[in-house]
Amino acid sequence: TTGKPIANTYGALDVYSGTLQIDSAWFTTDASGVYTATFGSPIDQDVALRYRIAAYATQFYDRKPLLGQATLVPLKSGPSTLTTRLLPRYTLVNTLLDDAAGQPITNTSGLLSAYIGTTVVESHWFSTDASGVYTTTFDVPLNQDVQLEYSRVAGHARQFYDRAFTLAQATPLA
């Protein structure tokens, strides 16, 4: 991350009380990264705030990808001033190899799923090129240990990036 303000962009701010989304507001940042979000009804409680901004991972106020991990923020009637730091989307460029042959798995497709703990946080279809390379971009921040699962790859069993066959056996990536 650059530490610089996210200037002149738009996004949405979703407000959660427990597991229930209670409000949402669109906003546009100014040149200094400052914005005002106005909600449909007064909010006077501790809430989780989820940010959805172009070029940034969908995440909560404290850079957490999951609602159950989010730190609650006290909002009161009237202005609430916060400083939020967001993580950009994570792009993975990977070469898929056939372990037995030692060769790239070329011109094929499959499904890549990212787990945090036992929760699938995101899944993407991918296609390898003639060199066995694929690129995918995640919409959630991968700022903690994840396990990557490959499935639906023709001729290959469902498995994790480290060749484990179960989530419990898979080694997390830091």
Side-chain angles (χ1 to χ4, degrees):
T1 61
T2 66
K4 295 180 181 177
I6 302 171
N8 304 313
T9 195
Y10 63 92
L13 183 61
D14 302 320
V15 182
Y16 288 84
S17 176
T19 59
L20 179 66
Q21 183 177 338
I22 59 172
D23 213 333
S24 185
W26 290 97
F27 64 86
T28 302
T29 62
D30 66 15
S32 300
V34 175
Y35 69 90
T36 299
T38 304
F39 300 108
S41 59
I43 300 171
D44 193 8
Q45 62 181 314
D46 292 351
V47 297
L49 299 174
R50 181 177 70 178
Y51 291 83
R52 294 180 287 134
I53 299 175
Y56 285 82
T58 298
Q59 59 198 283
F60 287 86
Y61 168 76
D62 51 359
R63 301 180 187 160
K64 299 294 187 203
L66 304 174
L67 177 59
Q69 298 175 332
T71 300
L72 299 180
V73 176
L75 290 187
K76 304 293 179 201
S77 292
S80 296
T81 303
L82 302 170
T83 299
T84 305
R85 289 176 174 77
L86 299 177
L87 295 170
R89 289 185 173 139
Y90 179 80
T91 299
L92 174 67
V93 179
N94 196 17
T95 302
L96 209 55
L97 298 175
D98 182 301
D99 193 44
Q103 297 297 314
I105 301 173
T106 62
N107 303 313
T108 195
S109 61
L111 183 65
L112 174 67
S113 299
Y115 288 78
I116 295 177
T118 59
T119 303
V120 175
V121 293
E122 197 162 342
S123 294
H124 290 276
W125 289 101
F126 68 88
S127 294
T128 62
D129 63 14
S131 301
V133 175
Y134 73 89
T135 302
T136 191
T137 301
F138 292 94
D139 292 323
V140 297
L142 299 180
N143 59 336
Q144 54 192 299
D145 292 350
V146 298
Q147 290 102 335
L148 298 177
E149 175 193 44
Y150 293 90
S151 60
R152 301 185 185 181
V153 178
H156 297 273
R158 173 189 163 270
Q159 59 190 290
F160 289 82
Y161 81 98
D162 60 352
R163 291 171 259 153
F165 292 106
T166 68
L167 180 59
Q169 295 171 331
T171 304
L173 290 167

